[in-house]
Amino acid sequence: MEPVGNLLRNLPDARSAEVFQTLAEGPHARIERIVSCGQASPPGFWYDQPQHEFVVLIAGEAELRFEDEEQSQRLGPGDYVLIAAHRRHRVESTSTTEPTVWLAVHFD
């Protein structure tokens, strides 16, 4: 039997850098927990990923910005977004007072 995990337990210290943990992966998908604390994308940087990404904010808060939209989207616990492959986006901010925990599913 596989061990039971909890996305909100044993959180790594992410104050100096985001922490990425692969929870499961296969030939066409990867599921990861991302823990942030005050991180944001560098100025002028845009993610341009070859796979689709479905992301759920589990805890904390963040602002996500798409290059083709004027306004950032503020995300709180339970909010999710599907990011199409090659849709340029960036993280404008994450909470500095508590860990921001993301669940990300990357898939073809």
Side-chain angles (χ1 to χ4, degrees):
M1 178 176 261
E2 294 296 317
V4 173
N6 186 301
L7 294 171
L8 297 175
R9 283 197 199 127
N10 301 318
L11 294 177
D13 184 353
R15 288 176 289 185
S16 61
E18 278 186 310
V19 179
F20 298 81
Q21 177 187 14
T22 299
L23 303 175
E25 62 185 333
H28 301 286
R30 183 177 79 256
I31 302 170
E32 62 186 1
R33 175 177 76 173
I34 305 167
V35 181
S36 312
C37 191
Q39 285 83 20
S41 300
F45 174 82
W46 295 92
Y47 287 99
D48 186 350
Q49 301 169 165
Q51 291 185 306
H52 304 295
E53 181 179 8
F54 177 81
V55 64
V56 182
L57 196 73
I58 304 297
E61 52 185 42
E63 281 189 56
L64 186 64
R65 171 90 189 272
F66 291 97
E67 187 178 41
D68 60 353
E69 294 181 1
E70 288 185 31
Q71 301 273 340
S72 319
Q73 296 181 27
R74 191 140 190 80
L75 303 175
D79 290 336
Y80 63 88
V81 62
L82 176 61
I83 304 169
H86 298 291
R87 185 170 185 206
R88 290 168 55 99
H89 62 284
R90 55 181 282 111
V91 177
E92 293 286 315
S93 67
T94 58
S95 178
T96 59
T97 59
E98 64 180 321
T100 297
V101 180
W102 312 77
L103 180 68
V105 180
H106 304 269
F107 63 98
D108 294 336

